[in-house]
PDB file of all heavy atoms in Angstrom:
ATOM      1  N   GLU B 452     119.878 129.206 106.944  1.00  0.00           N
ATOM      2  CA  GLU B 452     119.491 130.299 106.041  1.00  0.00           C
ATOM      3  C   GLU B 452     119.802 129.919 104.587  1.00  0.00           C
ATOM      4  O   GLU B 452     119.018 130.181 103.674  1.00  0.00           O
ATOM      5  CB  GLU B 452     120.246 131.574 106.439  1.00  0.00           C
ATOM      6  CG  GLU B 452     119.804 132.787 105.675  1.00  0.00           C
ATOM      7  CD  GLU B 452     120.874 133.879 105.644  1.00  0.00           C
ATOM      8  OE1 GLU B 452     121.894 133.764 106.357  1.00  0.00           O
ATOM      9  OE2 GLU B 452     120.676 134.823 104.872  1.00  0.00           O
ATOM     10  N   VAL B 453     120.949 129.276 104.408  1.00  0.00           N
ATOM     11  CA  VAL B 453     121.334 128.860 103.050  1.00  0.00           C
ATOM     12  C   VAL B 453     120.409 127.747 102.577  1.00  0.00           C
ATOM     13  O   VAL B 453     119.923 127.762 101.443  1.00  0.00           O
ATOM     14  CB  VAL B 453     122.823 128.398 103.038  1.00  0.00           C
ATOM     15  CG1 VAL B 453     123.205 127.857 101.663  1.00  0.00           C
ATOM     16  CG2 VAL B 453     123.730 129.545 103.437  1.00  0.00           C
ATOM     17  N   LEU B 454     120.162 126.787 103.491  1.00  0.00           N
ATOM     18  CA  LEU B 454     119.265 125.671 103.126  1.00  0.00           C
ATOM     19  C   LEU B 454     117.892 126.194 102.706  1.00  0.00           C
ATOM     20  O   LEU B 454     117.284 125.681 101.763  1.00  0.00           O
ATOM     21  CB  LEU B 454     119.076 124.739 104.322  1.00  0.00           C
ATOM     22  CG  LEU B 454     119.984 123.525 104.426  1.00  0.00           C
ATOM     23  CD1 LEU B 454     119.587 122.702 105.634  1.00  0.00           C
ATOM     24  CD2 LEU B 454     119.930 122.659 103.171  1.00  0.00           C
ATOM     25  N   ALA B 455     117.436 127.195 103.418  1.00  0.00           N
ATOM     26  CA  ALA B 455     116.112 127.741 103.118  1.00  0.00           C
ATOM     27  C   ALA B 455     116.081 128.371 101.728  1.00  0.00           C
ATOM     28  O   ALA B 455     115.028 128.462 101.110  1.00  0.00           O
ATOM     29  CB  ALA B 455     115.728 128.769 104.169  1.00  0.00           C
ATOM     30  N   ASN B 456     117.243 128.825 101.257  1.00  0.00           N
ATOM     31  CA  ASN B 456     117.316 129.435  99.925  1.00  0.00           C
ATOM     32  C   ASN B 456     117.444 128.418  98.806  1.00  0.00           C
ATOM     33  O   ASN B 456     117.390 128.777  97.636  1.00  0.00           O
ATOM     34  CB  ASN B 456     118.510 130.398  99.857  1.00  0.00           C
ATOM     35  CG  ASN B 456     118.141 131.765 100.394  1.00  0.00           C
ATOM     36  OD1 ASN B 456     117.269 132.425  99.854  1.00  0.00           O
ATOM     37  ND2 ASN B 456     118.772 132.151 101.487  1.00  0.00           N
ATOM     38  N   ILE B 457     117.664 127.161  99.183  1.00  0.00           N
ATOM     39  CA  ILE B 457     117.768 126.113  98.156  1.00  0.00           C
ATOM     40  C   ILE B 457     116.368 125.552  97.963  1.00  0.00           C
ATOM     41  O   ILE B 457     115.850 124.847  98.825  1.00  0.00           O
ATOM     42  CB  ILE B 457     118.768 125.016  98.589  1.00  0.00           C
ATOM     43  CG1 ILE B 457     120.144 125.635  98.804  1.00  0.00           C
ATOM     44  CG2 ILE B 457     118.833 123.911  97.549  1.00  0.00           C
ATOM     45  CD1 ILE B 457     121.203 124.682  99.337  1.00  0.00           C
ATOM     46  N   ASN B 458     115.762 125.873  96.851  1.00  0.00           N
ATOM     47  CA  ASN B 458     114.330 125.602  96.712  1.00  0.00           C
ATOM     48  C   ASN B 458     113.986 124.255  96.098  1.00  0.00           C
ATOM     49  O   ASN B 458     112.813 123.927  95.958  1.00  0.00           O
ATOM     50  CB  ASN B 458     113.660 126.732  95.932  1.00  0.00           C
ATOM     51  CG  ASN B 458     113.655 128.021  96.733  1.00  0.00           C
ATOM     52  OD1 ASN B 458     113.847 129.092  96.202  1.00  0.00           O
ATOM     53  ND2 ASN B 458     113.463 127.911  98.045  1.00  0.00           N
ATOM     54  N   THR B 459     114.999 123.526  95.692  1.00  0.00           N
ATOM     55  CA  THR B 459     114.746 122.155  95.244  1.00  0.00           C
ATOM     56  C   THR B 459     115.724 121.242  95.972  1.00  0.00           C
ATOM     57  O   THR B 459     116.934 121.464  95.918  1.00  0.00           O
ATOM     58  CB  THR B 459     114.944 122.011  93.724  1.00  0.00           C
ATOM     59  OG1 THR B 459     113.995 122.842  93.065  1.00  0.00           O
ATOM     60  CG2 THR B 459     114.742 120.572  93.274  1.00  0.00           C
ATOM     61  N   LYS B 460     115.172 120.260  96.640  1.00  0.00           N
ATOM     62  CA  LYS B 460     116.049 119.294  97.318  1.00  0.00           C
ATOM     63  C   LYS B 460     115.708 117.914  96.806  1.00  0.00           C
ATOM     64  O   LYS B 460     114.543 117.517  96.811  1.00  0.00           O
ATOM     65  CB  LYS B 460     115.875 119.376  98.824  1.00  0.00           C
ATOM     66  CG  LYS B 460     116.292 120.733  99.359  1.00  0.00           C
ATOM     67  CD  LYS B 460     116.216 120.835 100.852  1.00  0.00           C
ATOM     68  CE  LYS B 460     116.577 122.244 101.296  1.00  0.00           C
ATOM     69  NZ  LYS B 460     115.498 123.228 101.093  1.00  0.00           N
ATOM     70  N   ILE B 461     116.732 117.238  96.363  1.00  0.00           N
ATOM     71  CA  ILE B 461     116.523 115.881  95.862  1.00  0.00           C
ATOM     72  C   ILE B 461     117.142 114.945  96.898  1.00  0.00           C
ATOM     73  O   ILE B 461     118.361 114.908  97.072  1.00  0.00           O
ATOM     74  CB  ILE B 461     117.150 115.703  94.472  1.00  0.00           C
ATOM     75  CG1 ILE B 461     116.625 116.785  93.530  1.00  0.00           C
ATOM     76  CG2 ILE B 461     116.836 114.317  93.923  1.00  0.00           C
ATOM     77  CD1 ILE B 461     117.276 116.808  92.173  1.00  0.00           C
ATOM     78  N   ILE B 462     116.265 114.268  97.581  1.00  0.00           N
ATOM     79  CA  ILE B 462     116.712 113.479  98.739  1.00  0.00           C
ATOM     80  C   ILE B 462     116.803 112.015  98.334  1.00  0.00           C
ATOM     81  O   ILE B 462     115.795 111.377  98.048  1.00  0.00           O
ATOM     82  CB  ILE B 462     115.716 113.648  99.909  1.00  0.00           C
ATOM     83  CG1 ILE B 462     115.522 115.130 100.235  1.00  0.00           C
ATOM     84  CG2 ILE B 462     116.194 112.875 101.127  1.00  0.00           C
ATOM     85  CD1 ILE B 462     114.300 115.409 101.116  1.00  0.00           C
ATOM     86  N   LEU B 463     118.021 111.530  98.287  1.00  0.00           N
ATOM     87  CA  LEU B 463     118.204 110.093  98.061  1.00  0.00           C
ATOM     88  C   LEU B 463     118.332 109.428  99.438  1.00  0.00           C
ATOM     89  O   LEU B 463     118.231 110.094 100.457  1.00  0.00           O
ATOM     90  CB  LEU B 463     119.429 109.836  97.181  1.00  0.00           C
ATOM     91  CG  LEU B 463     119.276 110.351  95.733  1.00  0.00           C
ATOM     92  CD1 LEU B 463     120.195 111.499  95.470  1.00  0.00           C
ATOM     93  CD2 LEU B 463     119.518 109.242  94.737  1.00  0.00           C
ATOM     94  N   GLY B 464     118.546 108.149  99.461  1.00  0.00           N
ATOM     95  CA  GLY B 464     118.544 107.424 100.731  1.00  0.00           C
ATOM     96  C   GLY B 464     119.574 107.940 101.728  1.00  0.00           C
ATOM     97  O   GLY B 464     120.714 108.216 101.360  1.00  0.00           O
TER      98      GLY B 464
END
Side-chain angles (χ1 to χ4, degrees):
Chain B
E452 187 203 351
V453 175
L454 266 183
N456 275 298
I457 300 176
N458 292 141
T459 297
K460 297 183 183 77
I461 306 174
I462 305 165
L463 293 112

